[in-house]
Structures are given as C-alpha cells and as structure tokens.
Amino acid sequence: MKRLEGNRVLVTGAASGIGQATTLRLLEEGAAVVAADISADGLDKTRAMAGEAGTAGRLSTLEMNIGDEASVVDGVRSAVGALGGLDSLVNSAGILRAAHTHQMSLQDWNQIIGVNLTGTFLVVREALPTLLTNPRSAIVNFSSTSASFAHPYMAAYAASKGGIQSFTHALALEYAKQGLRAVCVAPGSIKSGITDATAGYLPPDSDWSLLAKLSPIMPTTLESSGAPMADPGAVAGVIAMLVSDDGAFITGTEIRIDGGTHA
C-alpha cells in the first residue's frame, strides 16, 4: 500500500515549480489530488506529466485565483466535490515582486500581501469546514526563508511570508483538539517560476553583494536567475511526509528546506 493511498489533497500553485512537483509526488504516493492554479496552460503541463507517470487518473485540475475571494469560494467547493471530501491542503501558490522599499507602490505592496497572505487565508478558511470533518487532517502552508532571514528588496514578500508563519501557528493551536495539524515549509534556493523571474524583478541598481549570503552550502544541480538551486522535488518529498501519518506529531512549526543557506 502506498503511503498516501486514499488521501484527498488540494494543492494550489500546482501549474509550475514546487506546487507542480508536489502534485506529482502526492500522486506517485497514491493520493487523489485537485491541482489548482491561475494558469490553465501550466495545469495542462501538470496533467501531461501525470499522464506520463501513469497517475493522471487520480488528478483533477482547477483554475482558481487565490487573490480573488469569489474564485476561492467556488474553487474550494469544486475541489471538495471532485474529491468527495478533503484530507489535506497544500497552499503553494504565491507571487514575488522586488523593489527598494522606499520606492514600492502601495498597489504592489497590497498585491503581494493580498495574494500570498490573504490568499492563503481564503483557501484555508474555505477548506476548514471539510477538513475538520476528519479526525486527522493537515494543512501545509508556504512560508520562505525570507520570513526569518534578511532578503534585500523583498520587504513585502518577506512580510507576507512572516504573516503566513504566524497564521499557521495560530491554526495549529486553535484546531489541534479537532485533529488538524498545520505546518509551514520554508523553502530557500529551490528552483521555481518565482526564482526564475527574480533577477528581472530586482532593481537595476541592486547591490548584488547583499545577495551573496543567500547560497546553499550543500551541492546543487540546477541554476535559476544565475544562482545555485535545488530541484523542487526536495520540497515535494517533505510535503508528502507532512501530510502522511509519518508527520502525525508535527504541527505548529516551520521546516526550513534551503540546503544549509542559513545554517
């Protein structure tokens, strides 16, 4: 029997990067998954990859914009209906914008907070009633190493991820007696759509020496925006553990996955 056989999971941000890798890993381990994202083309790629792996029969895809409340309400309802319930939620969706803080517009600040932090809240809020019908359920939210360690030009992104960490701690305590576990993963130096675009987001006059310490000490196999990176599967494997019974005593904490960047 596979570790996640019978487990029903909603994964957001599933059209690329870590969300896509997580979707494929959960399917590989036997779960039924609804893969949600704003990108229809990316979801098609995720489905094609699942088809190549022979797991597409347990995959449903869903276009959902976590920055829009109505989209989340309808999307989570559809996901629960497609799965016939919900055992775990993985909130991978998010965006990154970079700027000198004194030059950041309120519009950009609100967009980052609105998608990353408020979007995570909206998906959790809508999923909770179904998750709480189970005696053992799990939420995995996405923080970042930027929530705890300085990442220049990314103040809004860091603030959103720090908020997600605090939000997750509150969830863990509030719903522990009902069998819900809530955990954050905090990736760093993991190749994704966000990291691929980071160099384009940074201000033209960025001081690259400030980014020098953001390098992993473990060997890496990939590169993104000129920096050494690990494959998204490094995070997907941890998430598979967290939503399985192997993670049954883990809640209210963060797991940093950064190859020792901040050791």
Side-chain angles (χ1 to χ4, degrees), residues 214-241:
L214 303 181
S215 294
I217 60 176
M218 295 295 291
T220 58
T221 57
L222 300 174
E223 186 177 288
S224 182
S225 292
M229 297 278 165
D231 187 90
V235 181
V238 175
I239 292 173
M241 178 274 292

PDB file of all heavy atoms in Angstrom, residues 214-241:
ATOM      1  N   LEU A 214      23.013  34.362   0.271  1.00  0.00           N
ATOM      2  CA  LEU A 214      21.831  33.540   0.017  1.00  0.00           C
ATOM      3  C   LEU A 214      22.179  32.355  -0.886  1.00  0.00           C
ATOM      4  O   LEU A 214      21.507  32.076  -1.876  1.00  0.00           O
ATOM      5  CB  LEU A 214      20.724  34.385  -0.616  1.00  0.00           C
ATOM      6  CG  LEU A 214      20.277  35.610   0.183  1.00  0.00           C
ATOM      7  CD1 LEU A 214      19.163  36.347  -0.547  1.00  0.00           C
ATOM      8  CD2 LEU A 214      19.834  35.217   1.584  1.00  0.00           C
ATOM      9  N   SER A 215      23.232  31.639  -0.524  1.00  0.00           N
ATOM     10  CA  SER A 215      23.664  30.482  -1.309  1.00  0.00           C
ATOM     11  C   SER A 215      23.735  29.252  -0.420  1.00  0.00           C
ATOM     12  O   SER A 215      24.246  29.317   0.710  1.00  0.00           O
ATOM     13  CB  SER A 215      25.042  30.733  -1.937  1.00  0.00           C
ATOM     14  OG  SER A 215      24.972  31.771  -2.888  1.00  0.00           O
ATOM     15  N   PRO A 216      23.234  28.115  -0.898  1.00  0.00           N
ATOM     16  CA  PRO A 216      23.261  26.892  -0.097  1.00  0.00           C
ATOM     17  C   PRO A 216      24.674  26.361   0.078  1.00  0.00           C
ATOM     18  O   PRO A 216      25.551  26.598  -0.763  1.00  0.00           O
ATOM     19  CB  PRO A 216      22.405  25.927  -0.917  1.00  0.00           C
ATOM     20  CG  PRO A 216      22.481  26.440  -2.317  1.00  0.00           C
ATOM     21  CD  PRO A 216      22.593  27.929  -2.210  1.00  0.00           C
ATOM     22  N   ILE A 217      24.899  25.650   1.167  1.00  0.00           N
ATOM     23  CA  ILE A 217      26.202  25.029   1.398  1.00  0.00           C
ATOM     24  C   ILE A 217      26.236  23.597   0.880  1.00  0.00           C
ATOM     25  O   ILE A 217      27.308  23.031   0.713  1.00  0.00           O
ATOM     26  CB  ILE A 217      26.584  25.073   2.891  1.00  0.00           C
ATOM     27  CG1 ILE A 217      25.562  24.320   3.758  1.00  0.00           C
ATOM     28  CG2 ILE A 217      26.730  26.513   3.362  1.00  0.00           C
ATOM     29  CD1 ILE A 217      25.944  24.240   5.228  1.00  0.00           C
ATOM     30  N   MET A 218      25.064  23.032   0.609  1.00  0.00           N
ATOM     31  CA  MET A 218      25.002  21.699   0.026  1.00  0.00           C
ATOM     32  C   MET A 218      25.163  21.786  -1.491  1.00  0.00           C
ATOM     33  O   MET A 218      24.826  22.806  -2.094  1.00  0.00           O
ATOM     34  CB  MET A 218      23.664  21.032   0.357  1.00  0.00           C
ATOM     35  CG  MET A 218      23.440  20.759   1.834  1.00  0.00           C
ATOM     36  SD  MET A 218      24.608  19.562   2.501  1.00  0.00           S
ATOM     37  CE  MET A 218      24.061  18.069   1.663  1.00  0.00           C
ATOM     38  N   PRO A 219      25.671  20.720  -2.121  1.00  0.00           N
ATOM     39  CA  PRO A 219      25.783  20.734  -3.585  1.00  0.00           C
ATOM     40  C   PRO A 219      24.409  20.881  -4.235  1.00  0.00           C
ATOM     41  O   PRO A 219      23.410  20.384  -3.728  1.00  0.00           O
ATOM     42  CB  PRO A 219      26.393  19.361  -3.901  1.00  0.00           C
ATOM     43  CG  PRO A 219      27.027  18.905  -2.633  1.00  0.00           C
ATOM     44  CD  PRO A 219      26.201  19.485  -1.527  1.00  0.00           C
ATOM     45  N   THR A 220      24.352  21.580  -5.356  1.00  0.00           N
ATOM     46  CA  THR A 220      23.097  21.776  -6.089  1.00  0.00           C
ATOM     47  C   THR A 220      23.261  21.273  -7.524  1.00  0.00           C
ATOM     48  O   THR A 220      24.384  21.110  -8.011  1.00  0.00           O
ATOM     49  CB  THR A 220      22.684  23.256  -6.115  1.00  0.00           C
ATOM     50  OG1 THR A 220      23.738  24.027  -6.719  1.00  0.00           O
ATOM     51  CG2 THR A 220      22.428  23.775  -4.704  1.00  0.00           C
ATOM     52  N   THR A 221      22.140  21.054  -8.174  1.00  0.00           N
ATOM     53  CA  THR A 221      22.158  20.508  -9.535  1.00  0.00           C
ATOM     54  C   THR A 221      21.576  21.458 -10.564  1.00  0.00           C
ATOM     55  O   THR A 221      21.688  21.216 -11.763  1.00  0.00           O
ATOM     56  CB  THR A 221      21.359  19.188  -9.582  1.00  0.00           C
ATOM     57  OG1 THR A 221      20.017  19.433  -9.123  1.00  0.00           O
ATOM     58  CG2 THR A 221      21.997  18.136  -8.688  1.00  0.00           C
ATOM     59  N   LEU A 222      20.931  22.543 -10.115  1.00  0.00           N
ATOM     60  CA  LEU A 222      20.246  23.440 -11.032  1.00  0.00           C
ATOM     61  C   LEU A 222      20.693  24.880 -10.800  1.00  0.00           C
ATOM     62  O   LEU A 222      21.374  25.183  -9.818  1.00  0.00           O
ATOM     63  CB  LEU A 222      18.722  23.334 -10.831  1.00  0.00           C
ATOM     64  CG  LEU A 222      18.092  21.957 -11.053  1.00  0.00           C
ATOM     65  CD1 LEU A 222      16.624  21.996 -10.681  1.00  0.00           C
ATOM     66  CD2 LEU A 222      18.277  21.496 -12.490  1.00  0.00           C
ATOM     67  N   GLU A 223      20.266  25.743 -11.714  1.00  0.00           N
ATOM     68  CA  GLU A 223      20.549  27.166 -11.590  1.00  0.00           C
ATOM     69  C   GLU A 223      19.293  27.950 -11.938  1.00  0.00           C
ATOM     70  O   GLU A 223      18.517  27.545 -12.806  1.00  0.00           O
ATOM     71  CB  GLU A 223      21.683  27.562 -12.533  1.00  0.00           C
ATOM     72  CG  GLU A 223      22.150  28.991 -12.379  1.00  0.00           C
ATOM     73  CD  GLU A 223      23.321  29.329 -13.272  1.00  0.00           C
ATOM     74  OE1 GLU A 223      24.437  28.853 -12.983  1.00  0.00           O
ATOM     75  OE2 GLU A 223      23.104  30.047 -14.268  1.00  0.00           O
ATOM     76  N   SER A 224      19.075  29.063 -11.239  1.00  0.00           N
ATOM     77  CA  SER A 224      17.922  29.909 -11.510  1.00  0.00           C
ATOM     78  C   SER A 224      18.320  31.348 -11.262  1.00  0.00           C
ATOM     79  O   SER A 224      18.856  31.670 -10.192  1.00  0.00           O
ATOM     80  CB  SER A 224      16.744  29.510 -10.619  1.00  0.00           C
ATOM     81  OG  SER A 224      15.602  30.285 -10.881  1.00  0.00           O
ATOM     82  N   SER A 225      18.091  32.211 -12.233  1.00  0.00           N
ATOM     83  CA  SER A 225      18.497  33.620 -12.139  1.00  0.00           C
ATOM     84  C   SER A 225      19.976  33.742 -11.775  1.00  0.00           C
ATOM     85  O   SER A 225      20.372  34.643 -11.027  1.00  0.00           O
ATOM     86  CB  SER A 225      17.624  34.371 -11.119  1.00  0.00           C
ATOM     87  OG  SER A 225      16.301  34.487 -11.593  1.00  0.00           O
ATOM     88  N   GLY A 226      20.788  32.816 -12.267  1.00  0.00           N
ATOM     89  CA  GLY A 226      22.220  32.868 -12.036  1.00  0.00           C
ATOM     90  C   GLY A 226      22.678  32.329 -10.698  1.00  0.00           C
ATOM     91  O   GLY A 226      23.873  32.384 -10.382  1.00  0.00           O
ATOM     92  N   ALA A 227      21.745  31.800  -9.894  1.00  0.00           N
ATOM     93  CA  ALA A 227      22.093  31.314  -8.557  1.00  0.00           C
ATOM     94  C   ALA A 227      21.930  29.793  -8.476  1.00  0.00           C
ATOM     95  O   ALA A 227      21.088  29.216  -9.163  1.00  0.00           O
ATOM     96  CB  ALA A 227      21.199  31.980  -7.517  1.00  0.00           C
ATOM     97  N   PRO A 228      22.719  29.131  -7.628  1.00  0.00           N
ATOM     98  CA  PRO A 228      22.593  27.677  -7.474  1.00  0.00           C
ATOM     99  C   PRO A 228      21.280  27.318  -6.790  1.00  0.00           C
ATOM    100  O   PRO A 228      20.885  27.953  -5.819  1.00  0.00           O
ATOM    101  CB  PRO A 228      23.792  27.303  -6.610  1.00  0.00           C
ATOM    102  CG  PRO A 228      24.132  28.559  -5.864  1.00  0.00           C
ATOM    103  CD  PRO A 228      23.797  29.688  -6.772  1.00  0.00           C
ATOM    104  N   MET A 229      20.618  26.293  -7.314  1.00  0.00           N
ATOM    105  CA  MET A 229      19.310  25.912  -6.802  1.00  0.00           C
ATOM    106  C   MET A 229      19.179  24.396  -6.742  1.00  0.00           C
ATOM    107  O   MET A 229      19.877  23.662  -7.442  1.00  0.00           O
ATOM    108  CB  MET A 229      18.194  26.448  -7.718  1.00  0.00           C
ATOM    109  CG  MET A 229      18.119  27.951  -7.822  1.00  0.00           C
ATOM    110  SD  MET A 229      17.235  28.676  -6.428  1.00  0.00           S
ATOM    111  CE  MET A 229      17.714  30.410  -6.618  1.00  0.00           C
ATOM    112  N   ALA A 230      18.243  23.942  -5.916  1.00  0.00           N
ATOM    113  CA  ALA A 230      17.887  22.524  -5.846  1.00  0.00           C
ATOM    114  C   ALA A 230      16.597  22.279  -6.609  1.00  0.00           C
ATOM    115  O   ALA A 230      15.818  23.206  -6.867  1.00  0.00           O
ATOM    116  CB  ALA A 230      17.727  22.083  -4.395  1.00  0.00           C
ATOM    117  N   ASP A 231      16.366  21.043  -6.965  1.00  0.00           N
ATOM    118  CA  ASP A 231      15.144  20.654  -7.658  1.00  0.00           C
ATOM    119  C   ASP A 231      13.936  20.796  -6.733  1.00  0.00           C
ATOM    120  O   ASP A 231      14.043  20.540  -5.521  1.00  0.00           O
ATOM    121  CB  ASP A 231      15.271  19.196  -8.117  1.00  0.00           C
ATOM    122  CG  ASP A 231      14.115  18.764  -8.989  1.00  0.00           C
ATOM    123  OD1 ASP A 231      14.221  18.928 -10.215  1.00  0.00           O
ATOM    124  OD2 ASP A 231      13.108  18.284  -8.436  1.00  0.00           O
ATOM    125  N   PRO A 232      12.778  21.211  -7.266  1.00  0.00           N
ATOM    126  CA  PRO A 232      11.569  21.339  -6.433  1.00  0.00           C
ATOM    127  C   PRO A 232      11.178  20.051  -5.719  1.00  0.00           C
ATOM    128  O   PRO A 232      10.496  20.090  -4.699  1.00  0.00           O
ATOM    129  CB  PRO A 232      10.493  21.754  -7.444  1.00  0.00           C
ATOM    130  CG  PRO A 232      11.228  22.390  -8.560  1.00  0.00           C
ATOM    131  CD  PRO A 232      12.535  21.665  -8.654  1.00  0.00           C
ATOM    132  N   GLY A 233      11.621  18.917  -6.240  1.00  0.00           N
ATOM    133  CA  GLY A 233      11.316  17.654  -5.580  1.00  0.00           C
ATOM    134  C   GLY A 233      11.856  17.563  -4.166  1.00  0.00           C
ATOM    135  O   GLY A 233      11.348  16.789  -3.346  1.00  0.00           O
ATOM    136  N   ALA A 234      12.883  18.367  -3.854  1.00  0.00           N
ATOM    137  CA  ALA A 234      13.426  18.375  -2.497  1.00  0.00           C
ATOM    138  C   ALA A 234      12.392  18.842  -1.483  1.00  0.00           C
ATOM    139  O   ALA A 234      12.392  18.417  -0.324  1.00  0.00           O
ATOM    140  CB  ALA A 234      14.665  19.274  -2.435  1.00  0.00           C
ATOM    141  N   VAL A 235      11.505  19.727  -1.920  1.00  0.00           N
ATOM    142  CA  VAL A 235      10.428  20.207  -1.047  1.00  0.00           C
ATOM    143  C   VAL A 235       9.226  19.274  -1.120  1.00  0.00           C
ATOM    144  O   VAL A 235       8.579  18.975  -0.106  1.00  0.00           O
ATOM    145  CB  VAL A 235      10.011  21.640  -1.433  1.00  0.00           C
ATOM    146  CG1 VAL A 235       8.899  22.146  -0.516  1.00  0.00           C
ATOM    147  CG2 VAL A 235      11.209  22.570  -1.383  1.00  0.00           C
ATOM    148  N   ALA A 236       8.942  18.780  -2.316  1.00  0.00           N
ATOM    149  CA  ALA A 236       7.779  17.904  -2.503  1.00  0.00           C
ATOM    150  C   ALA A 236       7.848  16.678  -1.606  1.00  0.00           C
ATOM    151  O   ALA A 236       6.836  16.238  -1.056  1.00  0.00           O
ATOM    152  CB  ALA A 236       7.674  17.491  -3.966  1.00  0.00           C
ATOM    153  N   GLY A 237       9.040  16.115  -1.449  1.00  0.00           N
ATOM    154  CA  GLY A 237       9.180  14.940  -0.595  1.00  0.00           C
ATOM    155  C   GLY A 237       8.860  15.232   0.867  1.00  0.00           C
ATOM    156  O   GLY A 237       8.264  14.413   1.564  1.00  0.00           O
ATOM    157  N   VAL A 238       9.258  16.412   1.330  1.00  0.00           N
ATOM    158  CA  VAL A 238       8.954  16.806   2.709  1.00  0.00           C
ATOM    159  C   VAL A 238       7.448  16.989   2.893  1.00  0.00           C
ATOM    160  O   VAL A 238       6.866  16.579   3.897  1.00  0.00           O
ATOM    161  CB  VAL A 238       9.720  18.096   3.084  1.00  0.00           C
ATOM    162  CG1 VAL A 238       9.308  18.579   4.478  1.00  0.00           C
ATOM    163  CG2 VAL A 238      11.227  17.856   3.020  1.00  0.00           C
ATOM    164  N   ILE A 239       6.805  17.608   1.904  1.00  0.00           N
ATOM    165  CA  ILE A 239       5.362  17.819   1.992  1.00  0.00           C
ATOM    166  C   ILE A 239       4.625  16.481   2.018  1.00  0.00           C
ATOM    167  O   ILE A 239       3.671  16.300   2.787  1.00  0.00           O
ATOM    168  CB  ILE A 239       4.881  18.695   0.831  1.00  0.00           C
ATOM    169  CG1 ILE A 239       5.442  20.116   0.998  1.00  0.00           C
ATOM    170  CG2 ILE A 239       3.353  18.745   0.771  1.00  0.00           C
ATOM    171  CD1 ILE A 239       5.182  21.024  -0.174  1.00  0.00           C
ATOM    172  N   ALA A 240       5.062  15.537   1.201  1.00  0.00           N
ATOM    173  CA  ALA A 240       4.432  14.209   1.210  1.00  0.00           C
ATOM    174  C   ALA A 240       4.522  13.583   2.588  1.00  0.00           C
ATOM    175  O   ALA A 240       3.567  12.946   3.066  1.00  0.00           O
ATOM    176  CB  ALA A 240       5.094  13.313   0.158  1.00  0.00           C
ATOM    177  N   MET A 241       5.655  13.751   3.243  1.00  0.00           N
ATOM    178  CA  MET A 241       5.793  13.247   4.609  1.00  0.00           C
ATOM    179  C   MET A 241       4.844  13.949   5.561  1.00  0.00           C
ATOM    180  O   MET A 241       4.172  13.323   6.388  1.00  0.00           O
ATOM    181  CB  MET A 241       7.241  13.421   5.077  1.00  0.00           C
ATOM    182  CG  MET A 241       7.515  12.979   6.510  1.00  0.00           C
ATOM    183  SD  MET A 241       7.178  14.246   7.769  1.00  0.00           S
ATOM    184  CE  MET A 241       8.467  15.440   7.413  1.00  0.00           C
TER     185      MET A 241
END
